[in-house]
C-alpha cells in the first residue's frame, strides 16, 4: 500500500481517490487492501469499509472469497437502452463471453443517444451488440486511447481565455460580471434552475474563505449534454469555471466528474495542467475528483460529502451549501453546462443570449434527446421549445414504424407526459402544474410500441437501485413500489399512498421525485393500466 500510494497525501478527503488506485491496480478491493489503507490514512477500518461498499464501481472481496472475473462488462438497463435491447444483451452476453468475463446490469452511462450501451472494463461502448462486445472484450482496454483531443492553442487563437484575463487584469469588475449573467437570465442547468447571478451574490455575501464545486455527475437517465460539451470544448467550460471562481473569490475549485467518463477525466487533467502552466489560475487551485458510480452524488450535498471522501449521503437543510459546503466553507456549486455559457455571455453580452427564445422564454437550452427519434443527440434550441418541435425540427421526426405517444421531459424523475401535451414549452416552471418538470433537459421520446407501465417500472427500479439508503421513505418506499408494480394488478390507492409518503418524508429529491412517472401513468395513461405489463 505504501508503494502504491507513494508520496500522495494521506488526507481523509482523498480516501475515494486512493480506493480507485487499488481498484484500478488489482481489479477489486480485498480486506487486506482496506486494512492497509486504513492504517496508512490513520482511519478506523469502518470509515474505509463503509465508503468502499457504498459505491458501485468498487468491488469489495472478503477474505476467502473469489475475486471478480478478470473483466467486467456493465450493460446499461436504463430506459433508452432498455428500449433498444439491453435485456437481450444481458441474456446473451454471459454465454457468449464465457466465465472469464463478468456481466452485470448498470445504470445510465451517458450514451443514451447511441443505445444500447455497455462498459467493457472502463471503456464505454455505444450501439452495443454481442459481436461488438466480444471484440471489445478481446482487445486491450485503455481509456486514453479514446481520449478526446484538446487543442489549447486553437482555443486561445480564437479568443479563448481573453475574458478571464480581463477579469484577472481588473478590466472588468465582479459586479459587472454578475450583472451580465443576471441580465442574461442564466440558470443552473443541472436540474434545479436556480438563477446563477443570484447564487453568485449569495455566496459572495458569506464570510470567506470560500470554495467552489462543479457538478459533473450527470447520472440522470437520458442525460448526456455535459459529456457533449466537455468533449466538444473543454477550455470554454474551464474559462467559465475560472471566471466564476474569480467572482466569488473561491480559493479552491473541486470538479466532481462521474466515473463513467474516464477518457474525459484524462482529457480534463491535460486541459487543467495546460491552463495552470499558462498562468490562468493564480486566483484559485483546481482539483479533479473522480466519482465511483452513485447517482445520488448528482445531488449537491451528496456530491460534497463524496468530495470530502465520504459516502454520498445528502445533507439535511438548512444550512445550505452556499453557507456550509465543502469542508464546512461557503461553497458555490455549479453545473458544467451552466459554466460553459459564462464566457459567451461575458464576451457577447446578455442581449445575445436573451435574443433566443420562443413563447416568451429567453435564452438557449441544451436537450439530451433519445428514444424513438431518427436523430437522437444533444440539441441546442431556443428556450421555450416544445417536445413536438424537438422531434420534428431537430431530430428528423419519429423512427419508421413508430408513432409519437409520450415523452419524458426531464429524465427519470421528471415524469411522463402524453403526446397531446407535446406543445407545452419545455422550460423551468412550465410543467410543474402537470406533475412534471424539465430538470436536466433529458427528453426521452416514446412511441405506441412502448407500454407506459413498463416505462414507469423501469424508472422505479432505477430509483430503488440508486437510493442511498439514508432515509426509510425512499429506501423502503422504492423497493415496495417495485414489488407492487411487478406483481400487479396495480393498486392505485395503495401506490398513491406510498408515493405520498415518499414525496413528503424523503430527505432529498431522489425519493421525492421517484413517484412522478408512476403518478403520471395513473393521470395520463389509464388505458395502459388495463393491459398486461409489457416488455421490450
Amino acid at each position: 500500500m505504501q508503494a502504491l500510494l507513494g508520496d500522495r497525501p494521506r488526507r481523509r478527503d482523498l480516501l475515494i481517490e486512493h480506493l480507485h488506485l487499488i481498484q484500478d491496480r488489482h481489479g477489486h478491493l480485498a480486506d487486506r487492501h482496506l486494512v492497509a489503507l486504513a492504517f496508512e490514512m490513520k482511519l478506523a477500518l469502518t470509515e474505509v469499509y463503509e465508503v468502499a461498499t457504498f459505491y458501485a464501481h468498487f468491488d469489495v472481496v472478503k477474505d476467502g472469497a473469489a475475486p471478480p472475473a478478470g473483466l467486467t462488462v456493465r450493460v446499461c438497463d436504463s430506459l433508452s437502452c432498455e428500449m433498444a435491447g439491453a435485456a437481450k444483451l444481458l441474456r446473451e452476453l454471459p454465454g457468449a463471453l464465457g466465465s472469464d468475463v463478468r456481466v452485470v446490469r448498470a445504470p445510465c452511462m451517458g450514451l443514451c443517444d447511441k443505445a444500447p450501451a455497455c462498459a467493457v472494463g472502463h471503456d464505454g461502448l455505444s450501439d452495443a451488440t454481442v459481436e461488438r462486445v466480444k471484440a471489445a472484450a478481446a482487445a486491450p482496454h485503455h481509456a486514453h486511447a479514446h481520449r478526446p483531443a484538446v487543442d489549447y492553442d486553437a482555443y486561445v487563437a480564437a479568443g479563448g481565455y481573453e475574458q478571464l484575463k480581463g477579469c484577472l487584469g481588473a478590466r472588468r469588475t465582479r459586479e459587472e460580471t454578475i450583472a451580465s449573467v443576471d441580465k442574461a437570465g442564466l440558470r443552473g442547468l443541472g436540474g434545479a434552475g436556480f438563477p446563477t447571478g443570484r447564487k453568485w451574490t449569495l455566496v459572495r455575501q458569506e464570510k470567506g474563505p470560500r470554495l467552489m464545486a462543479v457538478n459533473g455527475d450527470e447520472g440522470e437517465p437520458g442525460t448526456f449534454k455535459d459529456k457533449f460539451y466537455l468533449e466538444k470544448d473543454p477550455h470554454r467550460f474551464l474559462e467559465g469555471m475560472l471566471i466564476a471562481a474569480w467572482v466569488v473569490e473561491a480559493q479552491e475549485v473541486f470538479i466532481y466528474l462521474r466515473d463513467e467518463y474516464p477518457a474525459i477525466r484524462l482529457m480534463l487533467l491535460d486541459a487543467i495542467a495546460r491552463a495552470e502552466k499558462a498562468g490562468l489560475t493564480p486566483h484559485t487551485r483546481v482539483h479533479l475528483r473522480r466519482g465511483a458510480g452513485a447517482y445520488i452524488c448528482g445531488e449537491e450535498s451528496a456530491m460534497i460529502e463524496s468530495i470530502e471522501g465520504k459516502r454520498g449521503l445528502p445533507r439535511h437543510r438548512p444550512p445550505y451549501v452556499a453557507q456550509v459546503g465543502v469542508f464546512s466553507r461557503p461553497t458555490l456549486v455549479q453545473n458544467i453546462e451552466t459554466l460553459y455559457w459564462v464566457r459567451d455571455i461575458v464576451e457577447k453580452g446578455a442581449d445575445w443570449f436573451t435574443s433566443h427564445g420562443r413563447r416568451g422564454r429567453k435564452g438557449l437550452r441544451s436537450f439530451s434527446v433519445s428514444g424513438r427519434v431518427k436523430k437522437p443527440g444533444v440539441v441546442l434550441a431556443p428556450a421555450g421549445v416544445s417536445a413536438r418541435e424537438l422531434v420534428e425540427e431537430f431530430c428528423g421526426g419519429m423512427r419508421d414504424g413508430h408513432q409519437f405517444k409520450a415523452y419524458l421531459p426531464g429524465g427519470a424523475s421528471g415524469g411522463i407526459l402524453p403526446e397531446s401535451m407535446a406543445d407545452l414549452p419545455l422550460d423551468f416552471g412550465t410543467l410543474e402544474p402537470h406533475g412534471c418538470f424539465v430538470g436536466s433537459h433529458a427528453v426521452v421520446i416514446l412511441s405506441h410500441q412502448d407500454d407506459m407501465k413498463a416505462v414507469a417500472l423501469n424508472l422505479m427500479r432505477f430509483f430503488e437501485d440508486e437510493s442511498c439508503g439514508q432515509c426509510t421513505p425512499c429506501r423502503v418506499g422504492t423497493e415496495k413500489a417495485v414489488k407492487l408494480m411487478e406483481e400487479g394488478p396495480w393498486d392505485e390507492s395503495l401506490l398513491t399512498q406510498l408515493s405520498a409518503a415518499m414525496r413528503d418524508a424523503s430527505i432529498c429529491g431522489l425519493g421525492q421525485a421517484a413517484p412522478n412517472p408512476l403518478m403520471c401513468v395513473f393521470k395520463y395513461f389509464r388505458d395502459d393500466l388495463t393491459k398486461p405489463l409489457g416488455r421490450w
Side-chain angles (χ1 to χ4, degrees):
M1 190 59 58
Q2 292 170 347
L4 181 62
L5 296 182
D7 60 357
R8 292 178 175 85
R10 270 58 166 176
R11 298 197 317 268
R12 174 68 171 83
D13 61 290
L14 294 175
L15 173 57
I16 295 173
E17 296 294 314
H18 295 343
L19 288 170
H20 274 303
L21 288 174
I22 304 169
Q23 178 77 33
D24 291 346
R25 172 69 62 85
H26 299 284
H28 64 281
L29 306 176
D31 282 353
R32 63 184 184 278
H33 297 142
L34 301 183
V35 172
L37 182 61
F39 179 84
E40 275 297 297
M41 298 188 70
K42 296 181 172 58
L43 295 173
L45 180 57
T46 53
E47 292 180 274
V48 176
Y49 190 82
E50 71 175 3
V51 172
T53 54
F54 181 84
Y55 294 93
H57 290 186
F58 294 140
D59 293 306
V60 178
V61 178
K62 292 184 175 293
D63 280 345
L71 178 65
T72 296
V73 172
R74 290 182 167 87
V75 179
C76 175
D77 67 349
S78 291
L79 183 58
S80 296
C81 287
E82 188 83 350
M83 292 161 61
K88 185 172 182 287
L89 279 175
L90 281 165
R91 289 193 304 268
E92 296 179 357
L93 281 175
L97 297 175
S99 59
D100 292 337
V101 179
R102 178 179 60 159
V103 178
V104 297
R105 53 190 288 267
C108 187
M109 299 174 184
L111 294 168
C112 323
D113 56 331
K114 300 177 179 68
C118 297
V120 182
H122 210 185
D123 292 347
L125 179 68
S126 58
D127 300 311
T129 62
V130 171
E131 291 71 24
R132 294 195 70 213
V133 175
K134 285 179 66 176
H141 308 288
H142 301 291
H144 64 267
H146 310 289
R147 189 185 313 183
V150 182
D151 195 334
Y152 170 83
D153 294 330
Y155 181 74
V156 171
Y161 288 114
E162 286 303 313
Q163 305 309 312
L164 173 63
K165 291 175 182 176
C167 295
L168 298 177
R171 297 194 299 273
R172 177 185 299 276
T173 68
R174 292 177 171 86
E175 289 71 23
E176 289 172 343
T177 306
I178 292 174
S180 182
V181 169
D182 207 32
K183 183 180 177 184
L186 183 64
R187 305 179 71 158
L189 297 171
F194 195 84
T196 301
R198 184 181 171 196
K199 182 182 285 190
W200 290 3
T201 299
L202 290 173
V203 173
R204 278 186 54 78
Q205 290 173 351
E206 299 295 326
K207 182 180 179 181
R210 306 180 195 96
L211 302 175
M212 179 176 174
V214 179
N215 193 337
D217 196 61
E218 58 170 0
E220 183 75 21
T223 310
F224 46 92
K225 61 185 178 63
D226 290 349
K227 174 178 179 288
F228 172 82
Y229 284 118
L230 287 174
E231 290 177 336
K232 177 184 177 183
D233 202 348
H235 282 289
R236 191 175 301 268
F237 151 69
L238 287 177
E239 182 169 8
M241 179 192 79
L242 292 171
I243 289 173
W246 169 79
V247 168
V248 301
E249 299 175 87
Q251 294 184 352
E252 296 182 82
V253 178
F254 296 86
I255 305 173
Y256 189 87
L257 185 70
R258 66 184 314 215
D259 196 34
E260 287 81 355
Y261 297 165
I264 292 176
R265 175 178 165 271
L266 296 175
M267 175 268 291
L268 273 180
L269 287 171
D270 289 347
I272 293 167
R274 191 67 181 84
E276 290 173 343
K277 184 178 180 181
L280 298 170
T281 59
H283 58 303
T284 192
R285 184 179 178 189
V286 181
H287 309 269
L288 181 58
R289 292 293 173 84
R290 179 178 170 186
Y295 165 75
I296 192 63
C297 290
E299 195 277 337
E300 61 179 5
S301 65
M303 175 190 68
I304 287 172
E305 289 287 298
S306 193
I307 288 172
E308 295 178 356
K310 306 171 188 174
R311 294 177 294 168
L313 301 181
R315 297 175 178 177
H316 292 270
R317 296 178 179 83
Y320 297 94
V321 298
Q323 303 163 309
V324 182
V326 181
F327 307 134
S328 299
R329 301 308 314 167
T331 301
L332 172 67
V333 176
Q334 297 277 216
N335 162 261
I336 283 172
E337 192 204 347
T338 304
L339 296 171
Y340 182 89
W341 291 114
V342 167
R343 175 208 154 173
D344 283 341
I345 290 172
V346 172
E347 180 180 24
K348 300 175 183 178
D351 291 341
W352 163 79
F353 195 71
T354 58
S355 67
H356 305 275
R358 296 180 182 178
R359 300 179 179 87
R361 299 280 162 166
K362 295 181 179 181
L364 291 166
R365 298 287 186 268
S366 301
F367 295 88
S368 307
V369 186
S370 61
R372 308 299 191 182
V373 291
K374 288 182 178 177
K375 296 190 297 183
V378 173
V379 170
L380 182 61
V385 71
S386 70
R388 195 182 310 279
E389 289 166 339
L390 286 179
V391 172
E392 296 176 356
E393 295 181 33
F394 297 91
C395 296
M398 297 293 292
R399 288 185 181 177
D400 294 340
H402 290 271
Q403 300 170 17
F404 192 5
K405 176 179 179 178
Y407 64 104
L408 277 64
S413 55
I416 313 171
L417 288 172
E419 178 272 340
S420 61
M421 300 175 70
D423 296 310
L424 292 170
L426 297 175
D427 208 4
F428 300 109
T430 62
L431 305 179
E432 282 77 356
H434 308 287
C436 297
F437 56 81
V438 74
S440 61
H441 294 74
V443 179
V444 183
I445 303 298
L446 307 170
S447 82
H448 71 290
Q449 297 188 21
D450 300 312
D451 171 28
M452 296 303 109
K453 289 169 64 179
V455 169
L457 177 57
N458 175 279
L459 301 176
M460 190 63 77
R461 283 174 177 154
F462 170 80
F463 291 123
E464 178 192 15
D465 287 344
E466 295 299 325
S467 174
C468 74
Q470 180 180 189
C471 68
T472 302
C474 176
R475 181 186 69 249
V476 178
T478 53
E479 177 192 1
K480 298 301 182 187
V482 166
K483 288 182 178 179
L484 290 170
M485 294 164 74
E486 285 177 336
E487 294 171 359
W490 287 16
D491 185 327
E492 183 171 357
S493 175
L494 184 58
L495 284 168
T496 300
Q497 291 181 49
L498 180 60
S499 297
M502 293 166 63
R503 281 178 168 167
D504 293 344
S506 295
I507 290 173
C508 80
L510 191 155
Q512 294 163 11
N516 286 348
L518 170 62
M519 291 296 99
C520 285
V521 173
F522 287 133
K523 189 173 184 179
Y524 300 115
F525 304 98
R526 301 202 67 85
D527 287 348
D528 285 40
L529 291 173
T530 62
K531 303 173 185 176
L533 185 64
R535 292 286 186 271
W536 286 286

